[in-house]
Amino acid sequence: MFELPSGAEIQSIIATLNANLGLFIPEIYLSLLFMLLIVIDLVAKGRKNNLLSIATLLGLAGSIFFIYQQHHLPAGEIFFGMYVLDEFALFFKYFFVLSGMLAVVITMADEQFESEVKSMGEYYALIIAMVIGMIMMASSADLMMIFLSMELVSFSAFILTGYFKRNPRSSEAALKYLVYGAVSSGLMVYGFSLIYGLTAQTNLINISSELSLHGYDPLLMILATLLILAGFGYKIGAVPFHFWAPDVYEGAPTPITAYLSVASKAAGFALLMRFFYIAVPHGGPVYEDILGINWVSLLILLSIASMIYGNVVALWQKNVKRLLAYSSIAHAGYILLGIIVMDAFGTQATLFYLLSYFIMNFGAFYVVILIANKTGSENLEDYRGLGKKMPLAGAALTVFLISLVGLPPTIGFIGKLMIFSALLAKGSIYLWLALIGIMTSVISLYYYMLIPLNMYLRESPGSEEKNMDPGLIANIIMAVMMFLTIYFGLFFQPLSDFAKYSSPMFGLKLY
Amino acid sequence: MLSLIVFLPILAGLVILAVPSSQKQIIRIVSLLAALAQGVLAVLIWRAYDPSLPGITASPGGSPLGSFQFVEKLPWISLKLGGFGSLNIEYFLGVDGISVTMVILTALVSAIGVLSSWTIQKQVKGYFILYNLLASAMMGCFVALDFFLFYVFWELMLLPMYFLIGIWGGPNREYAAIKFFLYTLFGSVFMLLVMIGLYFSVIDPVTGNHTFSLVAMANQANYIKSAILGPDNVMWRYVAFSVLFVGFAIKVPMFPFHTWLPDAHVEAPTPISVILAGVLLKLGTYGMMRINFPLFPEVFHASMYVIGIFGAINIIYGAFCALAQQDLKKMVAYSSISHMGYVLLGLAAGNSEGMVGALYQMFNHGTITAMLFLLVGVIYDRAHTRQIDKFGGLSSYMPVYAAIVTVAWFASLGLPGLSGFISEAFVFVGAFSSVTTRYIAMVSVLGIVFGAAYLLWSLQRMFLGKRKPDAAYDLEVGADGHEHIHFHDWKGKIDLDARELTMLVPLVVITIFLGIYPMPILGMITTSVNRLVEVLTPLAIR
């Protein structure tokens, strides 16, 4: 079995590890931040102020500096092929740090925490833990690493979902999330073991070369792909691995809902792209099994099912958080379209769509929180007449929803435009997919517009004069996000160039 | 110049944003000033427009930008796309004979719409912000020469319109607003796919890149032969044409996609009905003339017959429906459907006479229908009902109103001497002289008869005779011994007041003037329409 390495070998391993540590600074920094937050919580226990959240914000902002330092590093594998450094990973590092920061910002706005929770110590530390886990998910180049980082994210997310301990819906959500998570990661690990059995490798690039060198049993391979897809599909919330999503999104604290729906989903997509683009060989007669199924066709099925199911079921929702949960299932379908294309343009479109989804979805959830602060409800019918009482919040939410539909002049439109362009750039083979995408986005208009419909077209039943102003800071944040949604809908060049810059992956031979 | 005329209303909207919502009068005046400035600019454009330049697309040997006027062309977005070259979007505005008439119409109708909005009392600030956004988007659609830019303006109209119907509309407004939104979005999302497909199929002759420029797209020499919408892909070109056509036909609205229109009109407040009928419907046929037909001329040529049949159905079906209406506004809405059918018929003829007639009909229908909806609004304001049989004998009590109604009604049915007659005559001349549409035209003539029937019948029921027992008003004998009309809670002037006259008289003058001397408009459009016909005629026939 295993031979003990000799002394010289151990020396060289240690030397490599030491050398690679320098390429791991953002992650180390974030881990230190994680511990620091726990210490701060212990020291400053019982004080009612924003110390923790401010420390988290500043700490996360500081990590951007270290990530920025990595731009000049050459793309490559570190830690013996466990981990990679490339533009693709850098994109997601920024993405997750920023979404962590936004999660903190909207947590500070959410008044529900004051009544439900005594201590916020672990909360912020766990948000940092999730950031670390997601960054590692996007940078893993090894099956072991993938599994470990996914579990780090999942466990932090389970706790955060159930953070309102005395609220049964929150606990129920956490439990459901946990059960589904356990099953799907179990399936995924089984898929990994099949791949390992086929290749005796865990590194993605080695797996790819091994598979294309020696060939493999296509049926076994498709089974492995299917099992692994169960794990990834759970993370991205695509049909048929979505069953947890509505309940978890509805029950979890709203900032966590926003955080899960944007960041954790994006992490799943990062992993999915890296795994399928790098580890699985493309083309060639050996790849498809006797039924002609390959992973692309599996993804197509997932994508269609998500777009149709998410958009159609959302039509009947009466709770705004639940409605946005189904919308996020649908958006997973749209993002998958960009991955199916399998070229540089497709990757660029996918990354751009993630950026647009980041802005509009966080924006929407932020307004939902502000409204819930004032009305204490997330039910559609309690939104009646809010357009008059909270003019800015109403306008901002309308802009975010219009962007989610994909209407110009918002960033969501550009996201859809890029995805559909990527599909049509392949000629007419994916035209029908674009058609389904287009039809379902018309359906989505109806349920998204239910919210402005209630806010503006209907009068609120009660006439109690209550101060509904969400406060100066909240107004500024809303206005900025609304501005960005429209600004990047008209001048999307910087974001799109960034997405293009970020599309290369280390070891990718696809494009 | 064009940028200014497009963005003036949005600027006004931003100013209004800063005005406190209690200052209703200031908000109205700011909007009015913007609309008037737009009108002044439109007049300047009209005066400076050179009618000898055709526009449409590049002429053989001419500049690849074509002979558009007031052109503004700036690079907007230039994206490097992985593995695909680059995506270039331009801020490209310009007018030719087809769009310049629509620009003038839009400026006119927008200004009248602002005046007509004076009586809106609910959430004035929000109303005028949305109104100005809508006005900008409409104007933008007519001057955009980049498909992407056109699409942005096109979609930008939907949201303000949704709220304007949905918040300020009648009792059933929620249904009408979302129906309008879903219908038009359904049409336009397919346009998005066609737009992307065209982008990949067309090369800008100057830069060699793919382009969204409608000028380049209208020239078949710029297409890549094997691309998805290139000349070799006959099937996809037919599909793309049909999809675009449906998208625009929904806006026209063409049977069977018309059902949103009566709902929207009945629920919308008067000024929005005026905008909707006066400008928005024209965007459908304008889109056909600017995008749908010249980009796919051979498909247009093959489907002229079908378009003509749909035009005839619109004319006759719309007239029959109008005949059956009890609600005056619904009758006018269906008359719109009928009259837009003439535009379709003129387009289907595919010759200069028909196309000139169609474009002229678009302008005339804009002014006449604006008048009709304003007049409906006048009586609705006073009586709070639009049921035709709740009135009778109005002409004795409201003589000025009755006179203007008579002019508008007669203009609508195409009486010689009024502008509607000339455009309808041109349409029929064109349709009869084209072999394809000759028999369709014969059937369509019946539409004029039915049109006269519903218009005259309603005129008779409302204005002639005596007060009906269940009428929406009372009669009182005044101090002078004459009978006077009395509406229940109407405090204002019984007959038209100054504001209403300010809106209506210019339209009446235009209708009469253009009926006697149509050259100001016809002279402007003829060169462009001739060029369009040339572009639409396949080489084999030319």
Side-chain angles (χ1 to χ4, degrees):
Chain A
M1 282 289 284
F2 293 108
E3 283 176 41
L4 281 178
S6 70
E9 275 173 331
I10 292 179
Q11 286 301 318
S12 92
I13 289 174
I14 291 174
T16 320
L17 285 179
N18 274 332
N20 283 344
L21 271 184
L23 308 174
F24 201 58
I25 291 174
E27 290 85 348
I28 296 175
Y29 169 84
L30 285 168
S31 310
L32 291 174
L33 180 64
F34 171 77
M35 289 186 265
L36 179 72
L37 284 173
I38 294 179
V39 173
I40 292 180
D41 181 46
L42 287 175
V43 175
K45 196 102 194 167
R47 274 196 232 156
K48 261 276 191 213
N49 57 21
N50 285 332
L51 183 65
L52 269 174
S53 42
I54 302 281
T56 317
L57 262 186
L58 290 179
L60 280 172
S63 72
I64 293 177
F65 170 76
F66 294 108
I67 299 172
Y68 184 73
Q69 297 287 314
Q70 292 193 317
H71 275 289
H72 68 274
L73 299 174
E77 287 183 329
I78 58 174
F79 296 132
F80 309 102
M82 298 290 269
Y83 207 73
V84 283
L85 254 177
D86 54 13
E87 288 90 344
F88 185 76
L90 270 179
F91 175 91
F92 282 99
K93 285 177 188 172
Y94 287 119
F95 192 95
F96 297 137
V97 167
L98 286 176
S99 43
M101 289 173 73
L102 264 175
V104 174
V105 167
I106 62 179
T107 304
M108 289 162 75
D110 194 340
E111 290 168 5
Q112 212 185 345
F113 280 90
E114 285 170 20
S115 56
E116 294 267 1
V117 182
K118 281 206 183 105
S119 155
M120 294 294 285
E122 311 90 70
Y123 182 86
Y124 290 112
L126 284 170
I127 285 191
I128 303 281
M130 262 185 90
V131 172
I132 302 171
M134 291 187 295
I135 286 180
M136 296 195 345
M137 269 170 85
S139 316
S140 302
D142 189 284
L143 297 183
M144 307 301 284
M145 230 10 237
I146 290 177
F147 181 69
L148 283 177
S149 53
M150 255 180 94
E151 292 306 292
L152 175 56
V153 174
S154 299
F155 278 95
S156 315
F158 299 150
I159 305 172
L160 287 173
T161 305
Y163 208 76
F164 290 166
K165 273 171 266 184
R166 284 165 298 175
N167 181 332
R169 292 195 71 84
S170 178
S171 308
E172 180 200 340
L175 193 62
K176 277 195 177 151
Y177 200 20
L178 175 73
V179 171
Y180 279 107
V183 171
S184 58
S185 53
L187 292 175
M188 185 182 71
V189 170
Y190 187 39
F192 283 169
S193 73
L194 287 179
I195 298 247
Y196 183 74
L198 281 168
T199 61
Q201 296 288 349
T202 54
N203 177 282
L204 298 183
I205 298 175
N206 292 346
I207 289 172
S208 165
S209 50
E210 193 73 23
L211 286 175
S212 41
L213 207 62
H214 299 301
Y216 48 86
D217 180 358
L219 208 58
L220 208 53
M221 187 65 194
I222 203 73
L223 181 63
T225 322
L226 196 59
L227 290 168
I228 293 170
L229 208 51
F232 295 168
Y234 159 79
K235 268 269 163 267
I236 63 175
V239 179
F241 311 108
H242 67 282
F243 290 103
W244 58 276
D247 290 327
V248 170
Y249 283 10
E250 191 185 347
T254 315
I256 297 307
T257 307
Y259 192 40
L260 288 180
S261 73
V262 175
S264 160
K265 190 183 284 271
F269 278 111
L271 201 51
L272 187 139
M273 287 169 90
R274 196 184 285 280
F275 180 82
F276 283 111
Y277 280 9
I278 291 184
V280 188
H282 307 280
V286 284
Y287 178 58
E288 295 191 351
D289 81 340
I290 34 175
L291 298 170
I293 300 173
N294 59 22
W295 66 266
V296 180
S297 34
L298 289 178
L299 284 190
I300 290 178
L301 285 180
L302 244 62
S303 163
I304 296 174
S306 305
M307 288 189 292
I308 294 178
Y309 178 87
N311 280 321
V312 171
V313 177
L315 294 175
W316 284 275
Q317 300 311 316
K318 300 271 176 271
N319 178 296
V320 174
K321 267 166 91 179
R322 214 175 165 82
L323 187 147
L324 287 174
Y326 281 102
S327 120
S328 100
I329 294 174
H331 279 276
Y334 293 120
I335 299 171
L336 279 173
L337 289 178
I339 299 177
I340 289 163
V341 181
M342 280 209 298
D343 60 12
F345 191 5
T347 310
Q348 184 186 354
T350 310
L351 296 183
F352 187 91
Y353 202 99
L354 286 172
L355 285 176
S356 71
Y357 189 64
F358 174 92
I359 296 178
M360 58 201 185
N361 218 39
F362 261 120
F365 274 111
Y366 186 57
V367 182
V368 168
I369 288 173
L370 293 178
I371 290 175
N373 282 344
K374 297 294 174 194
T375 63
S377 162
E378 280 134 9
N379 286 330
L380 252 182
E381 53 180 38
D382 293 323
Y383 277 55
R384 278 177 297 182
L386 275 180
K388 236 184 279 178
K389 292 182 191 158
M390 305 175 80
L392 184 65
L397 187 52
T398 308
V399 168
F400 298 135
L401 293 172
I402 283 299
S403 182
L404 284 166
V405 182
L407 290 180
T410 59
I411 190 168
F413 166 64
I414 306 297
K416 289 231 164 70
L417 178 81
M418 301 266 277
I419 294 267
F420 293 137
S421 300
L423 284 172
L424 289 192
K426 285 278 186 191
S428 48
I429 43 168
Y430 288 135
L431 184 65
W432 60 283
L433 270 180
L435 277 177
I436 296 177
I438 288 266
M439 300 286 282
T440 49
S441 61
V442 177
I443 298 176
S444 78
L445 174 81
Y446 183 81
Y447 66 81
Y448 285 126
M449 286 314 282
L450 282 178
I451 298 173
L453 174 93
N454 278 289
M455 288 196 304
Y456 290 103
L457 272 56
R458 293 184 178 161
E459 302 287 332
S460 62
S463 60
E464 77 278 36
E465 284 304 314
K466 197 173 143 194
N467 180 21
M468 301 291 267
D469 187 24
L472 182 67
I473 299 175
N475 276 332
I476 291 175
I477 295 174
M478 263 191 305
V480 167
M481 292 182 83
M482 180 165 72
F483 172 75
L484 288 181
T485 308
I486 294 174
Y487 178 81
F488 285 129
L490 291 172
F491 305 98
F492 49 93
Q493 185 139 16
L495 289 190
S496 171
D497 285 348
F498 181 50
K500 156 114 179 94
Y501 165 83
S502 310
S503 53
M505 276 178 233
F506 178 73
L508 184 68
K509 292 192 242 46
L510 191 62
Y511 49 80
Chain B
M1 188 92 150
L2 289 182
S3 291
L4 198 59
I5 203 174
V6 170
F7 290 107
L8 253 176
I10 284 195
L11 286 179
L14 289 177
V15 172
I16 291 171
L17 206 57
V19 178
S21 45
S22 54
Q23 300 291 330
K24 295 182 178 176
Q25 204 62 16
I26 296 181
I27 291 171
R28 293 183 186 122
I29 287 171
V30 169
S31 302
L32 184 63
L33 285 179
L36 289 179
Q38 239 191 347
V40 171
L41 284 174
V43 170
L44 289 178
I45 288 174
W46 174 48
R47 297 309 305 165
Y49 180 80
D50 177 0
S52 63
L53 296 172
I56 305 294
T57 181
S59 319
S63 148
L65 280 184
S67 48
F68 283 87
Q69 302 179 39
F70 306 101
V71 170
E72 290 171 31
K73 198 168 196 273
L74 295 168
W76 177 11
I77 283 154
S78 167
L79 290 181
K80 295 276 171 293
L81 297 182
F84 187 73
S86 64
L87 179 85
N88 291 297
I89 302 171
E90 277 165 334
Y91 177 79
F92 185 13
L93 306 180
V95 287
D96 59 6
I98 296 176
S99 40
V100 78
T101 38
M102 291 297 114
V103 168
I104 294 166
L105 176 70
T106 308
L108 178 70
V109 175
S110 303
I112 286 172
V114 172
L115 276 177
S116 164
S117 308
W118 223 258
T119 47
I120 298 270
Q121 294 299 338
K122 182 179 166 191
Q123 300 178 47
V124 175
K125 183 171 172 176
Y127 176 88
F128 277 103
I129 291 175
L130 290 169
Y131 182 90
N132 281 312
L133 193 58
L134 178 67
S136 273
M138 291 186 309
M139 194 58 99
C141 265
F142 284 124
V143 297
L145 289 177
D146 184 282
F147 205 157
F148 185 88
L149 189 61
F150 175 88
Y151 189 81
V152 169
F153 282 128
W154 178 272
E155 297 280 59
L156 196 57
M157 288 185 303
L158 299 186
L159 194 66
M161 202 66 192
Y162 169 80
F163 284 122
L164 287 169
I165 298 176
I167 300 179
W168 290 272
N172 203 9
R173 54 183 192 261
E174 278 180 19
Y175 170 76
I178 196 69
K179 190 171 181 182
F180 163 81
F181 207 161
L182 280 175
Y183 252 95
T184 24
L185 187 72
F186 182 78
S188 59
V189 288
F190 290 104
M191 199 193 296
L192 176 68
L193 285 189
V194 175
M195 179 177 94
I196 299 170
L198 281 167
Y199 175 79
F200 290 132
S201 313
V202 177
I203 293 285
D204 187 332
V206 184
T207 61
N209 285 327
H210 289 287
T211 179
F212 279 113
S213 158
L214 287 170
V215 182
M217 284 177 179
N219 186 347
Q220 296 301 314
N222 294 333
Y223 282 74
I224 306 168
K225 269 185 97 57
S226 57
I228 182 165
L229 291 177
D232 287 354
N233 256 326
V234 179
M235 184 187 86
W236 285 121
R237 280 180 69 84
Y238 271 77
V239 172
F241 176 88
S242 320
V243 164
L244 272 183
F245 185 73
V246 170
F248 290 125
I250 287 174
K251 207 82 163 185
V252 169
M254 186 185 85
F255 177 89
F257 309 111
H258 65 282
T259 58
W260 62 269
L261 184 84
D263 288 314
H265 268 313
V266 169
E267 301 304 327
T270 303
I272 301 310
S273 282
V274 170
I275 294 277
L276 188 60
V279 182
L280 244 64
L281 305 191
K282 311 301 170 295
L283 272 163
T285 39
Y286 172 78
M288 290 179 187
M289 291 174 93
R290 168 73 61 214
I291 299 173
N292 201 357
F293 298 166
L295 268 49
F296 303 95
E298 81 285 3
V299 192
F300 167 68
H301 212 76
S303 44
M304 284 190 326
Y305 195 69
V306 181
I307 299 172
I309 287 179
F310 275 114
I313 294 178
N314 252 37
I315 295 172
I316 293 176
Y317 174 83
F320 269 125
C321 288
L323 205 50
Q325 297 311 316
Q326 286 298 315
D327 183 331
L328 188 64
K329 202 169 186 186
K330 223 165 181 169
M331 186 198 89
V332 175
Y334 276 108
S335 91
S336 260
I337 296 177
S338 177
H339 283 104
M340 289 309 282
Y342 293 111
V343 180
L344 284 174
L345 181 63
L347 292 177
N351 48 23
S352 292
E353 299 89 325
M355 291 260 180
V356 166
L359 190 53
Y360 196 37
Q361 169 79 354
M362 278 156 70
F363 187 88
N364 291 337
H365 179 253
T367 49
I368 295 171
T369 317
M371 217 162 22
L372 297 183
F373 279 112
L374 287 174
L375 291 164
V376 173
V378 165
I379 196 69
Y380 183 70
D381 281 347
R382 285 163 174 69
H384 304 298
T385 179
R386 293 181 301 244
Q387 295 295 317
I388 295 175
D389 52 13
K390 295 271 182 196
F391 300 97
L394 280 180
S395 59
S396 355
Y397 316 113
M398 301 172 72
V400 184
Y401 178 64
I404 294 183
V405 165
T406 313
V407 174
W409 254 239
F410 277 114
S412 183
L413 66 78
L415 189 79
L418 297 169
S419 60
F421 167 72
I422 300 192
S423 48
E424 281 172 26
F426 267 99
V427 165
F428 279 112
V429 169
F432 273 115
S433 57
S434 153
V435 186
T436 335
T437 50
R438 183 166 297 156
Y439 296 102
I440 302 173
M442 286 173 157
V443 181
S444 308
V445 174
L446 288 175
I448 294 189
V449 181
F450 298 126
Y454 65 79
L455 287 164
L456 291 176
W457 192 32
S458 63
L459 199 64
Q460 180 202 340
R461 284 191 286 169
M462 286 182 68
F463 290 91
L464 307 180
K466 289 220 175 319
R467 175 185 182 275
K468 297 204 180 73
D470 57 344
Y473 56 88
D474 301 321
L475 293 177
E476 291 169 350
V477 179
D480 54 356
H482 291 292
E483 278 188 328
H484 288 277
I485 192 167
H486 172 72
F487 293 104
H488 296 296
D489 53 355
W490 175 252
K491 303 273 185 315
K493 203 164 169 228
I494 293 295
D495 212 336
L496 298 176
D497 61 22
R499 184 183 58 88
E500 287 158 348
L501 282 174
T502 325
M503 299 187 288
L504 287 164
V505 169
L507 291 173
V508 171
V509 171
I510 290 173
T511 311
I512 296 174
F513 181 76
L514 288 180
I516 299 165
Y517 185 66
M519 280 321 281
I521 299 290
L522 288 187
M524 208 154 53
I525 64 182
T526 319
T527 326
S528 288
V529 168
N530 284 338
R531 176 76 185 121
L532 178 63
V533 171
E534 208 175 297
V535 168
L536 292 181
T537 316
L539 282 172
I541 305 175
R542 226 185 277 170

